Amino acid sequence: MSKEKIKLSDYISTIWRTIKIANKNFKFKFWAVFFLGTIEVVSIVAAAYFGGNILGEVVKSIQAGQITAGLKANLLAEFGTLIIVNFSSSLQMVLDREVFIGWDKWFTMKLNEARVSLDLEFYEDRENQKPLNKIDRKG
């Protein structure tokens, strides 16, 4: 079974169309998910940075025989960063679900609009039942 090759321009066109549909139908939630994902990635990188600094400050604290101000500051920054990561991740999961539900409703409406536009003869033809059943099963 051979697979049809899809051109890069078709991928880009599909992505652009998807963004336009999402922007039109659920603008706030779509862009909020994008924004929260960006915050999450930046926060994860920051957490890794502060985690590395903590290791260095632990060595300095051991050498100094006391907890250094740098260790306290990096621990506080790491804690704050991890709170941001967890908060943005949790909120993003909720919004992801709502966007998914929005896409499902949009697709169902478009599918039903297309079905209503078909002639009755189309539904009566046995050969047309196969693709309709496939659409029903797989969306």
Side-chain angles (χ1 to χ4, degrees):
M1 185 156 108
S2 66
K3 294 204 174 203
E4 181 182 332
K5 291 190 177 189
I6 300 173
K7 295 184 284 186
L8 179 61
S9 62
D10 291 338
Y11 278 119
I12 293 170
S13 174
T14 301
I15 290 168
W16 182 246
R17 183 170 176 232
T18 302
I19 289 171
K20 285 177 18 182
I21 292 168
N23 192 43
K24 179 182 175 190
N25 293 302
F26 21 92
K27 181 182 276 186
F28 172 76
K29 291 176 185 173
F30 176 75
W31 290 110
V33 167
F34 179 78
F35 178 71
L36 288 169
T38 303
I39 288 175
E40 185 179 2
V41 168
V42 169
S43 298
I44 289 170
V45 170
Y49 172 77
F50 292 126
N53 286 349
I54 288 170
L55 292 175
E57 290 296 327
V58 165
V59 171
K60 288 180 187 176
S61 293
I62 291 171
Q63 290 171 346
Q66 63 182 2
I67 296 176
T68 62
L71 179 58
K72 290 178 186 177
N74 280 296
L75 283 170
L76 187 61
E78 179 78 2
F79 180 70
T81 304
L82 291 176
I83 287 175
I84 292 170
V85 168
N86 287 317
F87 178 75
S88 64
S89 178
S90 298
L91 190 54
Q92 185 181 10
M93 282 192 319
V94 170
L95 289 173
D96 272 343
R97 182 70 183 147
E98 289 188 21
V99 168
F100 174 80
I101 291 169
W103 274 114
D104 187 53
K105 286 179 182 178
W106 178 85
F107 179 78
T108 301
M109 289 296 293
K110 291 296 180 184
L111 183 62
N112 289 336
E113 287 172 10
R115 283 184 170 168
V116 167
S117 70
L118 297 172
D119 293 332
L120 187 58
E121 291 82 29
F122 180 85
Y123 288 102
E124 291 174 351
D125 186 351
R126 249 184 172 197
E127 287 302 311
N128 295 331
Q129 294 303 314
K130 290 177 185 177
L132 288 174
N133 290 336
K134 188 175 183 179
I135 290 170
D136 286 337
R137 283 191 315 271
K138 297 183 179 181

